[in-house]
Amino acid sequence: MFPKGFLFDFDGVVVDSFESHYSAWSSAFQEMFDQEIAAYPKSYIGKSPRKIAAYFCSLIGEENRSEELFFLKDKHLDVYFKVPNLLPGALEITEFLKENKIPYGVASNATKLFLKNSIQHLNLNFTTVFGVEDYKKPKPAPEAYITLAKALGFTEKDFKNLWVFEDSLTGTKAAKLAGMIPIGILAKNSEKEMKKAGSKLIFPSLLEAFHYLNKKI
């Protein structure tokens, strides 16, 4: 059966935003603590910004200032906004879904402001977008994708027919817990890692997913 709808993670699926985020973490950390930030750990890819802030603060014994770092990083992300790099297939697949009147949207652990700025600067075809502020429990909890699916008009009985494009193990777990179909995008993890996390299909990028879907409809 052709999927009823398509849910997208953002970072690593639609855009490569590592430099945008890490630059903001680095400048915010430098402003707060007057020292360079540590390297970004692979195990934190896809996690909520609050958990990432807590991680960086814990490395220097400043756990009690993690919320302060979280807000300052968000400010730097906006004031010193760096447009992320658009990944292959994002425009093609969203145009395809729009033309065929298939519901789709974004649910990300990134902040809403970053998502909206990126979508505007890159002229992307996303109108239904949820960021980390929209959930009580960010990914790997399933709330993000359940929230998006309901906003697109789906009920729980539809969830088993929804595709979720994810590049992170964190997000793949969220999609699986929501009862949806995780589809892996190979941005930072291996095919073996993504399949082990629950991905039912794997594509190098959204471009290959677009070609696959275009043949199926």
Side-chain angles (χ1 to χ4, degrees):
M1 184 186 297
F2 197 86
K4 288 186 175 182
F6 294 82
L7 283 55
F8 294 77
D9 178 41
F10 198 69
D11 301 324
V13 173
V14 177
V15 300
D16 178 358
S17 59
F18 178 80
E19 286 301 324
S20 303
H21 286 291
Y22 191 59
S23 175
W25 282 119
S26 299
S27 58
F29 196 87
Q30 182 72 41
E31 180 179 322
M32 274 185 62
F33 303 114
D34 195 27
Q35 59 179 290
E36 290 187 8
I37 200 167
Y40 197 98
K42 182 181 177 182
S43 61
Y44 274 72
I45 291 171
K47 292 193 176 182
S48 74
R50 278 188 168 86
K51 287 189 175 181
I52 297 168
Y55 167 79
F56 284 130
C57 286
S58 72
L59 295 179
I60 59 170
E62 294 281 1
E63 291 89 343
N64 63 324
R65 300 188 69 187
S66 66
E67 193 75 357
E68 185 183 352
L69 178 61
F70 163 75
F71 284 113
L72 186 60
K73 181 263 183 178
D74 196 32
K75 179 182 177 182
H76 279 231
L77 194 61
D78 180 35
V79 174
Y80 308 112
F81 180 72
K82 293 178 68 172
V83 180
N85 297 314
L86 188 64
L87 290 173
L91 293 176
E92 290 88 343
I93 198 167
T94 50
E95 188 61 32
F96 166 80
L97 296 175
K98 185 177 179 181
E99 286 179 359
N100 287 282
K101 296 181 172 56
I102 301 169
Y104 67 96
V106 167
S108 171
N109 269 357
T111 60
K112 197 80 167 276
L113 183 59
F114 175 75
L115 296 171
K116 288 189 172 182
N117 280 343
S118 299
I119 288 167
Q120 180 181 353
H121 278 84
L122 294 169
N123 197 27
L124 294 171
N125 294 317
F126 287 106
T127 56
T128 307
V129 178
F130 289 93
V132 70
E133 304 94 329
D134 296 313
Y135 334 121
K136 291 181 180 177
K137 293 182 179 180
K139 305 174 195 176
E143 183 183 348
Y145 286 124
I146 291 173
T147 300
L148 174 58
K150 288 182 176 179
L152 292 172
F154 295 111
T155 61
E156 197 167 332
K157 64 182 176 61
D158 299 314
F159 289 2
K160 64 181 182 295
N161 291 321
L162 300 180
W163 273 24
V164 179
F165 289 112
E166 265 290 351
D167 72 305
S168 75
L169 306 182
T170 299
T172 301
K173 182 178 179 181
K176 190 176 178 181
L177 287 172
M180 300 172 189
I181 304 171
I183 305 297
I185 299 295
L186 298 179
K188 298 179 179 70
N189 296 294
S190 68
E191 184 171 347
K192 183 178 180 180
E193 288 172 317
M194 294 301 288
K195 282 186 175 179
K196 185 178 179 181
S199 297
K200 299 302 181 184
L201 289 173
I202 305 285
F203 296 102
S205 74
L206 287 177
L207 186 59
E208 290 78 12
F210 160 69
H211 290 311
Y212 176 89
L213 291 167
N214 201 29
K215 293 175 183 178
K216 294 288 183 180
I217 200 164

